[in-house]
Amino acid sequence: MPHSILWSVILAFHIISIMFWVGGTAYAAIIMRQSLSLLDPTQRNSVQLQSLGRFFRILMHVIPTALITGWLMILHEGGFAQAPWTTNLMQLLGIVMAVLYVRVLTGPFQKARRALRPQPALFDSIRNQTLVIMALGLIAILAASLGHPFL
């Protein structure tokens, strides 16, 4: 594989990972909640747990892919010492988002999975933390745009 094609593929994996991560959180936090309000509480809990469980399992692969491809591109462009502030901001936000994901997964989501009748407060906590992850992702996308201005 030629050198430029390899890095194009790595960039594509990075962008696709970010698309799933930030787009999925937007869907989970905004769209899914509105749709679930049409169901009775028992069905709502079941659908939320199943949907979030599938989404979080996907994120277990997406998050490491996003972080690793990002770091590979930094190394390709001269290393961490040469990275511009926008790249460092993206790194920081990505790590914070990953930590928040682990916090949601091991905290309120785990409690909701283990509860016989999960309380709405658990799902509200998941949603609020997911909204924070989404906002940080949008800021990271803005940082990426600032780091590569049009000529």
Side-chain angles (χ1 to χ4, degrees), residues 7 10 65-78 80:
W7 292 107
I10 289 172
T65 301
L67 294 174
I68 290 168
T69 55
W71 291 328
L72 285 173
M73 289 186 293
I74 290 171
L75 291 172
H76 176 67
E77 294 296 321
F80 291 93

Side-chain angles (χ1 to χ4, degrees), residues 42-143:
T42 305
Q43 290 175 327
R44 184 179 316 137
N45 288 347
S46 178
V47 170
Q48 275 184 306
L49 284 173
Q50 289 180 30
S51 298
L52 289 171
R54 288 182 182 119
F55 176 58
F56 289 157
R57 276 192 299 278
I58 289 171
L59 286 185
M60 284 183 198
H61 303 286
V62 166
I63 291 171
T65 301
L67 294 174
I68 290 168
T69 55
W71 291 328
L72 285 173
M73 289 186 293
I74 290 171
L75 291 172
H76 176 67
E77 294 296 321
F80 291 93
Q82 302 297 319
W85 71 270
T86 53
T87 302
N88 288 325
L89 178 60
M90 283 187 285
Q91 270 188 92
L92 174 66
L93 292 172
I95 291 168
V96 170
M97 290 166 60
V99 168
L100 287 174
Y101 160 73
V102 170
R103 183 176 170 211
V104 170
L105 186 65
T106 60
F109 180 70
Q110 201 66 270
K111 288 179 187 174
R113 271 190 51 215
R114 292 184 177 157
L116 291 175
R117 290 193 175 119
Q119 298 299 314
L122 286 173
F123 292 111
D124 289 340
S125 175
I126 293 169
R127 180 179 182 269
N128 291 337
Q129 292 180 54
T130 303
L131 283 170
V132 171
I133 293 170
M134 183 189 74
L136 293 174
L138 293 174
I139 294 169
I141 291 169
L142 178 62

